[in-house]
Amino acid sequence: MKQKKKTSLPFGNAKDFMRKMIEQQFMNVFGSESHASTQYLHFARQADKEGFPNTAHVFRAIAYSKKVQANNHYAELRHLEGRFMVNCRVTFGFGDTRKNVELAMAEEEFVITDVYPVYIEIAKFQGEKEAEKSFTWAYLVKRIHKKLFARVKEVIDGNTDIEFGPIQVCTVCGYTRKGDTPNKCPVCKASKEYFIAFP
């Protein structure tokens, strides 16, 4: 009887292939969050030029939040070394503040609907707890960002700046809220000492 020849999978075994997928996902969202953080700082400067200081304030706070999330994703890649391709969808365009708010809303909507939910499910399936946590934190914070930008858009469409007090950002997960510092972050459970205020 002829023995069946064993064949190997093109990417090693299935576990290795899925682990590489998680690494690629971290690289992708690191790229997109880093890009958005820098872009939002450009948007903040434009808002200042146009006389919308509070809108600029919102952009700066959320840019910092995105930097926190990018750092979280990057930390999960500390075992890698070398050159890698990063696949991420980013928005480009530099218009007036109304256009920039719309671009920011489109960016948040995309990652909320098309990116993080998928990445979370893959991480769960693969049993990658740290990936699931990092992706989930980002997803929950993005939903808050989207609401903040929607409120800014409502006001700025009437040619007025939004009224905002201090904005608090968690330095652990990027959770963002207006008003007082919470005793505990509702996303990552960090204590209030881990928040910084954007006055």
Side-chain angles (χ1 to χ4, degrees):
M1 187 182 213
K2 219 173 172 184
Q3 255 189 334
K4 192 174 178 183
K5 189 180 175 184
K6 288 184 179 177
T7 57
S8 59
L9 293 170
F11 304 103
N13 62 46
K15 174 72 174 166
D16 287 342
F17 175 57
M18 292 303 289
R19 187 165 62 251
K20 292 299 178 190
M21 283 181 65
I22 293 292
E23 288 174 352
Q24 186 63 56
Q25 289 164 351
F26 270 125
M27 286 187 274
N28 294 347
V29 289
F30 168 72
S32 66
E33 299 296 359
S34 299
H35 170 88
S37 178
T38 301
Q39 187 177 51
Y40 286 8
L41 292 177
H42 285 289
F43 290 172
R45 287 192 285 274
Q46 182 64 25
D48 275 331
K49 284 180 189 174
E50 293 179 30
F52 298 117
N54 292 333
T55 297
H57 179 61
V58 173
F59 274 126
R60 287 192 183 94
I62 295 179
Y64 179 82
S65 172
K66 287 182 168 294
K67 182 180 176 183
V68 169
Q69 292 167 352
N71 286 341
N72 288 344
H73 299 328
Y74 189 74
E76 295 301 323
L77 297 169
R78 59 188 171 272
H79 61 285
L80 293 182
E81 185 177 329
R83 297 179 180 181
F84 301 89
M85 290 295 294
V86 175
N87 303 308
C88 59
R89 192 201 89 151
V90 295
T91 55
F92 282 97
F94 202 157
D96 63 14
T97 299
R98 287 172 191 78
K99 179 184 174 184
N100 293 340
V101 170
E102 288 172 2
L103 285 170
M105 288 178 69
E107 174 66 22
E108 301 301 326
E109 178 65 25
F110 174 70
V111 293
I112 288 168
T113 57
D114 291 1
V115 177
Y116 282 115
V118 177
Y119 285 11
I120 290 166
E121 288 307 311
I122 291 171
K124 282 181 183 175
F125 178 78
Q126 194 55 31
E128 297 277 1
K129 297 294 185 189
E130 290 304 307
E132 182 185 347
K133 179 175 75 175
S134 193
F135 296 155
T136 299
W137 285 358
Y139 169 73
L140 294 173
V141 172
K142 295 287 176 270
R143 292 169 61 184
I144 296 163
H145 292 169
K146 182 185 170 187
K147 288 178 183 175
L148 285 172
F149 282 132
R151 179 68 191 121
V152 170
K153 185 177 185 312
E154 283 176 15
V155 175
I156 213 166
D157 279 348
N159 205 33
T160 57
D161 199 9
I162 192 162
E163 291 294 330
F164 251 81
I167 301 175
Q168 313 291 337
V169 181
C170 175
T171 60
V172 176
C173 69
Y175 170 73
T176 312
R177 66 173 274 169
K178 57 181 183 172
D180 297 331
T181 308
N183 289 325
K184 186 181 287 188
C185 176
V187 172
C188 69
K189 311 308 178 195
S191 61
K192 67 189 304 179
E193 290 77 20
Y194 288 93
F195 277 78
I196 65 169
F198 286 76

